[in-house]
Amino acid sequence: MTLAVHFINGPNLNRLGTREPQVYGIQTLADIENMIREVGTADITFRQSNVEGELVNFIHAAADAGAAIVINPAAYTHTSVALHDALKSVDVPSVEIHLSQPAKRETFRQRSLVAEAVTGTISGFGAQSYILGLHAAVNLLKARKR
Ligand code: DQA
C-alpha cells in the first residue's frame, strides 16, 4: 500500500540556509527535502510557495490525491483564515510543523490560526520537526487504513 504525504511550505522558507540561521538553522529547504526523501516511508510531494492562494491550492491537491498533509505555513500560520478554512475543508490527516518554537517567541507568533484546523502540531525541533511530521503523518495514514 502506498502512503502519500504532501509537504507544503509557506513564505520565506525558500530562503532557509541564509535566513536568520540562529533561529532556523543552516540547512536549506532542499537539504530538508533530501532528508525527508531518505526516510523512505512514504511517497513524498514537496512544495513551497510565497503566495497564500497557491498554498490553498496545494492543500486541495493533497486532499484530492488522498495524501496526508505536513504543512509549515510560516508567517501565514498567524494570519491566514484562508489556510485555516482550506485545512478544515479537507478530509485527510494534517500536521502543522515549525522549525522554531513560536510559543517562545514574539507575541504575534503565539497564536496559530492553523492549529485549530489540523490534526496536531510539532514545533521547536529545527529540521527534525520535518522528520517528526513525516512520522506523525504516516502513522495517521496507517491508522485510517486499518
Ligand atoms: C516558522 C515560524 C513562523 O512564525 C515564521 O513566520 C516562519 C517560520 C518556523 O518554522 O519556525 O516563517 O513557521
Side-chain angles (χ1 to χ4, degrees):
M1 121 185 118
T2 308
L3 301 171
V5 179
H6 286 206
F7 280 78
I8 300 174
N9 293 281
N12 302 303
L13 294 171
N14 55 317
R15 313 222 24 119
L16 287 179
T18 52
R19 174 194 180 202
E20 298 183 83
Q22 70 286 2
V23 178
Y24 299 118
I26 55 164
Q27 280 174 290
T28 65
L29 198 59
D31 292 336
I32 293 175
E33 177 177 354
N34 288 337
M35 203 174 76
I36 286 298
R37 291 189 184 282
E38 272 170 23
V39 177
T41 51
D43 180 49
I44 303 294
T45 297
F46 200 91
R47 292 175 155 154
Q48 188 274 333
S49 178
N50 295 321
V51 180
E52 189 175 15
E54 276 190 43
L55 298 170
V56 170
N57 290 339
F58 292 165
I59 290 168
H60 296 168
D64 291 346
I69 295 168
V70 179
I71 182 165
N72 183 348
Y76 288 134
T77 306
H78 317 295
T79 62
S80 181
V81 176
L83 290 186
H84 170 108
D85 285 352
L87 287 160
K88 277 209 147 169
S89 80
V90 299
D91 187 27
V92 290
S94 53
V95 184
E96 174 189 0
I97 59 166
H98 299 282
L99 296 149
S100 69
Q101 173 63 303
K104 287 202 285 208
R105 300 181 62 195
E106 302 98 318
T107 314
F108 66 84
R109 293 185 206 278
Q110 291 175 14
R111 172 94 198 272
S112 168
L113 300 189
V114 168
E116 296 156 21
V118 290
T119 313
T121 302
I122 293 165
S123 62
F125 298 99
Q128 283 294 317
S129 292
Y130 281 74
I131 302 277
L132 296 169
L134 174 61
H135 291 327
V138 166
N139 287 341
L140 288 164
L141 283 172
K142 284 183 179 162
R144 276 164 69 102
K145 294 206 180 217
R146 252 177 232 134

